[in-house]
Amino acid sequence: MLIKALRLVLGNTIVAADYLTRPRKLRRDAANQQRVDAAAAKLALYQFRACPFCVKTRRVLHRLNVPVALRDAKNNAAHRDELLQGGGKIQVPCLRIEQDGKVQWLYESKAIRGYLEQHFAA
């Protein structure tokens, strides 16, 4: 019970610190932002709200102004099952990438951030 309370406090502290120190969004012209929005529609991030690695990944999404669907794999059983069935394991963050009719599941926050930087940085 003490561990659960400690996790709750630390998790909420991480989320609050993220909110207070969130980076500015990248500004693009309308045509480029529309292109990014279309590409982001084929992405989904499976995550836990207070996971530090998920927070890092969401910060990159925010900074790059990439509107990716966030899927709560902790509190939503359907999303958790999708992650397990599609990706093969319940590990977050995990970026689901749909491309050319195929689905790729990208684990590890560093790899996800690299993918986002490569595809969406100015």
Side-chain angles (χ1 to χ4, degrees):
M1 184 153 184
L2 180 63
I3 300 283
K4 189 172 185 177
L6 184 60
R7 278 187 180 168
L8 183 64
V9 170
L10 286 175
N12 286 330
T13 302
I14 289 168
V15 171
D18 169 48
Y19 181 76
L20 294 172
T21 64
R22 189 166 287 166
R24 288 186 181 198
K25 284 186 176 183
L26 179 66
R27 296 203 182 269
R28 299 181 183 88
D29 60 59
N32 281 332
Q33 188 60 47
Q34 190 174 14
R35 180 188 58 79
V36 167
D37 293 349
K42 297 180 180 186
L43 304 175
L45 181 68
Y46 291 80
Q47 48 99 37
F48 295 168
R49 182 178 145 276
C51 163
F53 298 104
C54 298
V55 170
K56 282 182 170 182
T57 304
R58 289 194 310 262
R59 288 176 68 85
V60 172
L61 288 169
H62 180 82
R63 181 176 51 81
L64 294 176
N65 198 8
V66 181
V68 170
L70 300 178
R71 298 194 175 154
D72 185 353
K74 184 174 184 178
N75 298 313
N76 186 315
H79 291 161
R80 187 179 186 91
D81 290 342
E82 288 171 13
L83 179 59
L84 181 59
Q85 295 302 316
K89 57 185 172 179
I90 298 173
Q91 178 184 328
V92 293
C94 180
L95 185 65
R96 181 183 186 271
I97 306 164
E98 244 182 273
Q99 193 171 16
D100 301 326
K102 296 179 182 177
V103 176
Q104 175 186 359
W105 297 83
L106 186 60
Y107 288 95
E108 300 299 330
S109 59
K110 186 175 180 179
I112 295 169
R113 290 191 314 266
Y115 175 88
L116 295 171
E117 291 285 350
Q118 181 182 2
H119 288 85
F120 298 106

